[in-house]
Amino acid sequence: MTSGTQRPSTARIGDALRNRRRELDLTLQAVADGVEVSKGFLSEVERDKASPSVATLVRLCDILGITIGSLFQHDNTAVVRVDARTPAVLGGTDL
């Protein structure tokens, strides 16, 4: 990356996951147990400090009764140019 080049922001899904978990009145521990991750890791995902693998995200969405796509939908969707889009970080590098 050259100086002056801005890194695109990544999709922030933590708030949506936390809000849905709370809607269902589930504890962090209950969801973490169901997804088979630690409570600490799930907390970091909800705070957008960690990115779950695709498999973990699928299990998490299953437990919360939502689709993965719903995490990336925004009310203000319109035409988004490729250089202005928000990439979805699903783990790995350069994917």
Side-chain angles (χ1 to χ4, degrees):
M1 191 170 0
T2 62
S3 72
T5 303
Q6 210 174 27
R7 183 178 178 182
S9 63
T10 58
R12 298 178 60 84
I13 61 172
D15 285 341
L17 294 170
R18 181 185 312 108
N19 291 339
R20 179 61 178 159
R21 178 179 59 78
R22 288 178 176 169
E23 282 176 10
L24 297 173
D25 199 28
L26 296 171
T27 65
L28 268 172
Q29 189 66 58
V31 174
D33 289 346
V35 178
E36 298 179 346
V37 297
S38 72
K39 179 176 152 181
F41 177 73
L42 181 57
S43 174
E44 288 187 352
V45 169
E46 287 189 354
R47 292 180 289 127
D48 292 308
K49 302 290 185 191
S51 296
S53 68
V54 173
T56 298
L57 189 58
V58 167
R59 290 192 312 265
L60 185 54
C61 287
D62 283 347
I63 287 175
L64 297 176
I66 57 176
T67 64
I68 290 177
S70 71
L71 297 174
F72 302 100
Q73 293 175 349
H74 301 286
D75 292 337
N76 59 352
T77 56
V79 174
V80 178
R81 304 287 178 228
V82 69
D83 59 334
R85 69 175 172 76
T86 302
V89 178
L90 301 174
T93 56
D94 297 327
L95 298 177

